[in-house]
Structure formats: C-alpha cells, structure tokens
Amino acid sequence: MKAGAGSRAFAPGAAPGQPRFPWGRIGYWAASLLFIFVSVFPLLYALSSSLKQGSGLFSPALWPEAPTFANYSGVFADQPFAQNLLNSLLVAGSVVSLSLGLSLMAAWAFGRVEFRGRGLLLILILSASMLPQVAVLSGMFELVRAFGMYDTLGALIIADLLLTLPFTVWVLVTFMRQLPKELEEAAAMDGVGVLTLVFRVFMPLLWPAMVATGLLAFIAAWNEFLFALTFTLSTEARTVPVAIALISTPSGFELPWGKIMAASVIVTLPLVALVVVFQRRIVSGLSAGAVKG
Amino acid sequence: MADDSLRPPFQNALLRGGLAAQRVRRAWWMAAPMLLVLAAVGAWPLLRTIWFSLTDSELSNLGDYAFIGLENYVGEYGLLASAEWWQAVGNTLLFTGLSVTLETLLGLAVALLLNQASRLRTLLRAALLVPWAIPTVVSAKMWSWMLHDQFGIVNHHLLALGLIAAPLAWTADPQLSLFSIVLVDVWKATPYMALLILAALQMVPEDCYEAARVDGVPRWQVFRRITLPLILPGLLVAMVFRTLDALRVFDLIYVMTSNSRDTQSMSVFVREQLIDFGLVGYGSAAATCLFFMIALLSIIAMGLMRRTFERAAA
C-alpha cells in the first residue's frame, strides 16, 4: 500500500524545525468526517422520513417520534411496486449477462489478436459511450416499434446495451491483454476451440474484472431512466426509477414524500450493500476503464 | 514451437501466414456479435435520428413523412430561431461549467484525502461510493425533499441559524433552481471524479516525494511542482469525461424541475419535443445538434489530451 506525500509529512521528525503536524492531522480528520457526513446524510434522512407519517413528516428530527412502516406497505399497495422491482432485476440481470458474454468474446479478439482496423474500432466503441441517449432516441423508438417491443422489457434490455457494452468491452480488453501468452499456446496445443478457450480458460482467470464490470453494468442498467421512461407506458412494465419518478397522489397536490422516500430506500439499500462489500473491485474497475484505457 | 526448425523456411512462413490469417478471421467472428449489437443500438438509431431531422416526421405516424431539408434547423420556425432552444443551450452550458469546475476542485480535495494512509480511509471510500451508486432519480427525489420550500430540512436549519429570513423555493425559484440542480449533481458526481483522480495520484512514483522530502521542499510546493504536473493528464481525462456526461444531463433536471424552461437542458428539450409534443423531425434536429456538439468537443479533447500526454511522456 502506498502512502501519499502528506502522510510522510505527518510522521514525527518529518518536518525539520517546529512540530506543527497536529494541524494537518486535525484538518485531515475534520475534512474526512465532513465528506463522510455530507455523502451519507441524505440517505439517512430519506430513511428517517420513510419511517414518519402524517404531520410527523414535517418535523426535521432525524429520529422519528413514532416509527411506522406504513409508507413501505403503502408503496406496494398503491402501485405494482413488486412488479417494478422484478422488472428492474430482470432488465439489469439480462443486460449484465449479455454485456459480459458479448464483450468477453470481443475482448479476446481485441486484446489478443493483431488485425487491421483494431485501433479504429476500439476508438469507435469508446465514442459510443459518449453518445447522448437522446441522440438515438427517435431511431431507437422506431426500431422498438418495428419489432413490436414497445412497452416491454425487451426494449429496455436492448437499449441499455448501448450504455454498458462500450465500457465492459474496454475494461475486459485491458484485462485480457495482461493474461500470459503461454496459456493460449498450451490450449492451442491441446486443440481447444476459441470459444472454449475464452469461456473455460480465460473467464475463470478474469473473474475479478468480470465482477467489477458486471457490477458497474448492473448499476448502470438498474439506474437507467430515459429509455425506461420513453419505451414503457403501462405501470406494470415500468422499472423502479420510472415508478419512483412518477409516484403521485390522486389529488395531485402535494407529493406523498413518505412513500417516495420508502421506495427510494428500498431500491438504494441493495446497491449500497453491494457497493460497500465490493468497494475495492468497483474502484479498480472504474479506474481501469478511465486511466489505463 | 519446437519442431519449427525442422521444416524448410518457406513452408514455415506459409504455415505461419495461414495460421495468422485464420486467427484474424476468428477474431472477426468473435467480435462480430458485439459489433452487430452496437451497430444496431448505436450507429443505426443515430443515423435514423439524423435522417429524421431532415424530415417533418411526427410520432403518431413515424412512417409517413416528407423530406424538408434543413427547415428544422434554419427555417422560420427552425431550431436556430427558437429562444427556447437557445435557453436550453445556455442552461446546459451553465450547468456543465459550474458542476464540472466544482466537482474537479472537490474531487481533487477528496482524492488527496483518500491518498493518505489512515484508519478513516476505508470508511471514507465506502461513504463516497454511496452518492455515486444511488440512482439519479432517487438522489433527485431525496434532495427535492430536503430542499422542499415548506417542510425541507435545509430551509429549516438555515432559518434556525438565521442565515435566511424567509424559506427559499430552491427548486421553483427561477433564480435558484439551476443552482440547486448543480448542488445535487456535485453531491452525486464528486465521488466519481475523486476516484479517477485518486487512480492518477497513486501512479505518482514514491521517489519523487522521497527526493522532495530530503530536500525539505514545503508541502504546497511539492503539490504544485510535483503532484499536479504528474496527475495533470489523469485530471484532464476525468474532466473531459465529466464534461461530456454533464452536457447530456437529463435525469436530474427532468425529475427535479420537469420541463421547466428555466432549467431545461438540451436533452430535456429534445425529449419534450420528441415525445411530449410528438415532433420527431424537430426534436431529432435538436438531438443532432447536441450530438455534433459533443462529437466536436470529444475530437478537440482527444487532440489536446494527446498533446498533454506526449508532453508528460517527454
């Protein structure tokens, strides 16, 4: 583990002359705690609000006076929220498996074979990740209608691949390049086909990279909003972000904030758990895509 | 291969050439499914959007349209003559400029904190990933609730501290709403920025700091003369990524302020025209403008970055 420049300076005797290091230490702790507080507070406040009801909702206290789960049961009673959750899970799960499968195959081609046009194709794939979603919206709408997929999850799965494929390909190519050449030669000697090579020999070795990119793809698909908003119509076909964005009261006056916060907590907690458990992998995946590429 | 030397050299070359050609053919087969999918969901819809932008197509009947040339762009009621479009452009640029600047500065600060060996580091990193992982729609809702004009906790505490005299309508007041949106975006995207900058920081060789310490160089000077120049390429890449991301902002603005003119971004404008008004031709023209703007910026950025990288390598 590398220590930065600052931590050296904190070490006793590092700074010649007067020992002024406690200031740096205090500043470090104050700044870190501030960032931790600011990052986490909105989620805590959402959790707190989701447990309040009626006029209790208008009190800014962090600890609810009379905690209740009424908002949680309300979310499931007022709309097909369980169905929405299942939709999100299906879409995100399919997007992850499709992106990983397709990009693992492609990563072998781009990472381990020299061929003409490789560099150009890689740049094109990277530029696909810079496409604004609205730039493909009308063309995609036409496509979705032509295939009779409007208001179905299939439309979302296909569309979301545009968001995930470019970076899953890039990250897996980076990792595929680092695998030893001898492995492939040994496999070739045994007369192993290239698909077996990729999925039986390379995939087990690449699993840390697969977990990292898979998680990033999952989060991207789980959070996707614009396509889901545009390509679905019925409440039963919605994914969770759309369902939350469109929660309203029948009267249409004030939004049911307690229920919105309850729904927000339900979709966020699994993600936060995933992120905390896999934080190292996610960080390595994020920076592999950006810096090494 | 061991028995290569036993064959005549010409046969050897032929064999290698044949094997290599076979390998390349296999590579194309392996890459084909991914390339086809990307062409179907990326390239084709993009080309269709550009084509639609030259027609008077409408959502209710996508197949029935007439070619009208550049009418959607430069016509009497075209994009370039629309005040609403220019406001959307202005909003997007203001949003991008403000949020990327703030996220870079804060991200750099957080990255420097994360680069210190400390007991707090794991906790800090986990906490930072929270805003990043929360769906944008959810963060928009959480903050809308915290910034609520009557019952929001932000107004409550600001009033209690005496910093404001009356509750502020954070998301409804046209003077404030765009800044509220920037605030939420900074909260959400700073962690991403910090992680990218951290990756660059960790690649700075330890001996540079070692040498500076031996020479007794003050810390600020170490940062300015050693750290900053060395992480500059990484920092620029992160800024470019964020800028391209911010230019196409949709979720946050749509959820916090819907289609309000005061905060509408280019993406929100496009979707409103395309879906809410059903003007596929006109909306596609706006989408095409956004696309070319981002494409142009990417090309400029790539050129600039190449130069920076070459200078850093030299």
Side-chain angles (χ1 to χ4, degrees), chain A residues 14-15 30 33 54 60 65 70 104-105 118 125 128-129 143 160 181 193 219 227-228 254 263 292:
Chain A
L33 290 174
E65 252 174 58
L104 201 59
M105 285 166 66
R118 186 176 68 160
I125 294 168
S129 70
L143 211 62
D160 286 358
K181 215 175 143 193
I219 292 175
F227 289 150
E254 186 54 73
K292 286 181 198 156

Side-chain angles (χ1 to χ4, degrees), chain A residues 2 49 135 142 184 279, chain B residues 23 48-49 125 145 187 202:
Chain A
K2 284 184 208 164
S49 301
E142 186 192 35
E184 198 162 332
Q279 52 164 313
Chain B
R23 216 173 135 77
R48 286 300 287 175
T49 299
R125 189 172 51 189
W145 172 228
W187 176 78
Q202 286 177 336

Side-chain angles (χ1 to χ4, degrees), chain A residues 1-4 7 28 38 49 60 109 112 129-131 135 138 142 145 184 223 230 271 275 279 291, chain B residues 23 27 48-49 59 115-116 118 121 125 127 129 132-133 135 145 151 156 187 202-203 206 210 248 271 284:
Chain A
M1 203 162 283
K2 284 184 208 164
S7 62
Y28 170 80
V38 172
S49 301
R112 307 196 66 90
S129 70
M130 292 166 185
L131 269 184
S138 42
E142 186 192 35
R145 263 200 194 162
E184 198 162 332
N223 296 356
T230 308
L271 284 186
V275 160
Q279 52 164 313
V291 179
Chain B
R23 216 173 135 77
R48 286 300 287 175
T49 299
L59 195 66
N115 203 28
Q116 311 272 336
S118 152
R121 178 152 71 176
R125 189 172 51 189
L129 286 172
W132 170 79
W145 172 228
F151 315 120
H156 176 88
W187 176 78
Q202 286 177 336
M203 286 203 264
E206 195 66 3
E210 207 70 41
R248 53 190 177 183
R271 193 187 174 277
S284 296

Side-chain angles (χ1 to χ4, degrees), chain A residues 134-139 141 230, chain B residues 49 52 57-60 62 268-285 287:
Chain A
V134 290
V136 295
L137 206 60
S138 42
F141 201 95
T230 308
Chain B
T49 299
F52 277 135
S57 176
E58 293 193 8
L59 195 66
S60 48
L62 262 180
V268 176
F269 178 90
V270 170
R271 193 187 174 277
E272 187 184 32
Q273 301 297 330
L274 270 179
I275 307 296
D276 298 341
F277 302 158
L279 301 172
V280 172
Y282 189 66
S284 296

Side-chain angles (χ1 to χ4, degrees), chain B residues 236-252:
Chain B
L236 283 179
V237 172
M239 283 178 75
V240 168
F241 277 24
R242 269 308 301 153
T243 305
L244 296 177
D245 228 21
L247 285 174
R248 53 190 177 183
V249 59
F250 175 82
D251 304 12
L252 194 58

Side-chain angles (χ1 to χ4, degrees), chain A residues 171 175 212-213 216 280-290:
Chain A
V171 174
F175 282 93
T213 43
L216 294 181
R280 259 169 212 287
R281 299 227 173 285
I282 290 179
V283 171
S284 74
L286 271 179
S287 36

Side-chain angles (χ1 to χ4, degrees), chain B residues 43-59:
Chain B
W44 169 255
L46 177 67
L47 291 176
R48 286 300 287 175
T49 299
I50 296 175
W51 167 249
F52 277 135
S53 80
L54 304 173
T55 71
D56 61 357
S57 176
E58 293 193 8
L59 195 66

